[in-house]
Amino acid sequence: MKENKMLIPIDTITLEDKQDLQRAKEILENPGFAIKVANYIGKPIEMGLEKIDSKVINDATSKALNKSLDIAISTLDTTTLTSSFSNLKHKIMVGGSGAVGGFFGIAALAIELPISTTIMLRSIADIAKSQEHDLDDFQTQLACLEVFSLGSTKNRDDDAGESVYFASRSVLAYEMKLAVDSVANMSQKAIQEALARGQMPILVKLVNNIAARFGITVSEKLVAQVIPVVGAAGGAAINLMFINHFQDMAEGHFIVKRLEKRYGYEAIKQLYQEI
């Protein structure tokens, strides 16, 4: 995806926008999902990650995100007004699917994950719209999927000299650009049909790379859910943390992208680093 260069000097950015960017950074640079869950259940969950079948996770996340890609292109509701009630509704729905996951464990993953991912995608789209982004725009649709790559522990292995958030975005930036360029002048329907025929390998590769990062967080969630003392009630609570985590990532992400449209990518990145 082509990023705008610096359009406006940093000292012309309004105080309100600087405060928004600071809030976004506080969200995006906070500890990842694993630490939040560890604080909830009282112990680190990394110890259980080696017991999780990575192939099961990879298959489930790839299928869930490919389904989400279809939804992002075709059925995101561009008329729904964003509200705290809408976010609460999505949390309740994901909490319910988490109760099932907590009760049945990994056996329910193939059923539960696509449902919770779809619900989260719609919540992410609501947040994008609240930050003045057009859900009919293909770049916005991909940016909604990009949220699933944010805030995993894998991000923390990136270049220590750069923010976690911008390091994560840079990993996908080239493929995001290729994906956008590959559908230039194509209608939403044409993109859907090409996907159905298997003619969009660039998009599929992008989604699989997002899925690899999303899978880290899914693994962390699954480890927490299958702990015997957690059960169905704890599974619901962990899924609420799961959606809250990605709602937070979406809010920070789309604040940054809104400001990038206004001031340019380089200007906002520089100010973000300086905060």
Side-chain angles (χ1 to χ4, degrees):
M1 186 185 306
K2 185 177 181 180
E3 305 284 8
N4 295 327
K5 297 301 181 182
M6 185 183 294
L7 302 178
I8 298 175
I10 286 179
D11 59 8
T12 66
I13 298 176
T14 68
L15 177 60
E16 181 181 3
D17 285 341
K18 288 179 180 178
Q19 290 172 340
D20 283 348
L21 187 61
Q22 181 165 354
R23 180 161 59 90
K25 183 169 184 176
E26 288 170 356
I27 293 169
L28 293 165
E29 302 295 327
N30 267 338
F33 180 75
I35 296 175
K36 295 173 185 176
V37 173
N39 289 337
Y40 170 68
I41 63 176
K43 59 177 162 179
I45 63 175
E46 285 85 353
M47 294 184 299
L49 289 177
E50 68 275 7
K51 299 177 183 178
I52 296 293
D53 188 334
S54 60
K55 185 178 186 304
V56 171
I57 300 294
N58 291 340
D59 289 347
T61 52
S62 293
K63 288 176 182 176
L65 285 183
N66 275 295
K67 178 63 175 176
S68 292
L69 176 62
D70 290 337
I71 293 168
I73 293 171
S74 62
T75 62
L76 285 180
D77 187 352
T78 60
T79 61
T80 301
L81 294 177
T82 303
S83 65
S84 58
F85 173 76
S86 178
N87 279 344
L88 178 61
K89 175 187 71 175
H90 291 128
K91 287 180 180 179
I92 292 171
M93 293 168 69
V94 166
S97 68
V100 174
F103 186 79
F104 291 102
I106 196 169
L109 183 67
I111 299 171
E112 186 263 330
L113 186 62
I115 294 171
S116 59
T117 303
T118 297
I119 296 167
M120 288 192 296
L121 177 66
R122 294 190 182 280
S123 180
I124 288 167
D126 272 352
I127 293 167
K129 186 176 179 182
S130 76
Q131 292 297 326
E132 305 172 13
H133 295 279
D134 180 7
L135 295 181
D136 287 324
D137 181 74
F138 187 66
Q139 291 193 40
T140 300
Q141 294 163 354
L142 288 185
C144 287
L145 291 179
E146 187 181 18
V147 170
F148 291 112
S149 72
L150 303 176
S152 76
T153 52
K154 186 174 180 179
N155 292 344
R156 306 200 170 261
D157 296 328
D158 292 312
D159 184 2
E162 189 173 22
S163 77
V164 170
Y165 169 66
F166 277 100
S168 180
R169 278 182 62 182
S170 69
V171 170
L172 297 173
Y174 180 65
E175 289 177 356
M176 291 280 282
K177 181 183 183 303
L178 288 180
V180 172
D181 291 346
S182 72
V183 301
N185 303 317
M186 290 177 66
S187 67
Q188 303 283 74
K189 183 178 180 181
I191 297 171
Q192 275 186 283
E193 291 174 349
L195 273 172
R197 292 193 298 267
Q199 296 175 341
M200 303 295 290
I202 294 173
L203 267 180
V204 172
K205 182 179 179 182
L206 172 64
V207 169
N208 286 339
N209 283 337
I210 293 173
R213 287 180 170 255
F214 182 44
I216 301 295
T217 308
V218 171
S219 296
E220 294 164 350
K221 178 178 86 79
L222 189 61
V223 168
Q225 282 182 311
V226 298
I227 291 174
V229 298
V230 171
I238 288 167
N239 250 30
L240 287 174
M241 295 174 65
F242 191 54
I243 187 171
N244 189 62
H245 172 73
F246 284 110
Q247 285 177 339
D248 287 346
M249 292 296 106
E251 181 183 4
H253 183 50
F254 285 110
I255 287 173
V256 172
K257 293 186 74 67
R258 168 172 58 80
L259 296 176
E260 287 174 356
K261 286 182 180 180
R262 185 171 299 168
Y263 299 106
Y265 172 82
E266 295 294 345
I268 293 304
K269 181 178 179 181
Q270 180 181 336
L271 181 58
Y272 184 102
Q273 304 281 30
E274 291 176 358
I275 291 175

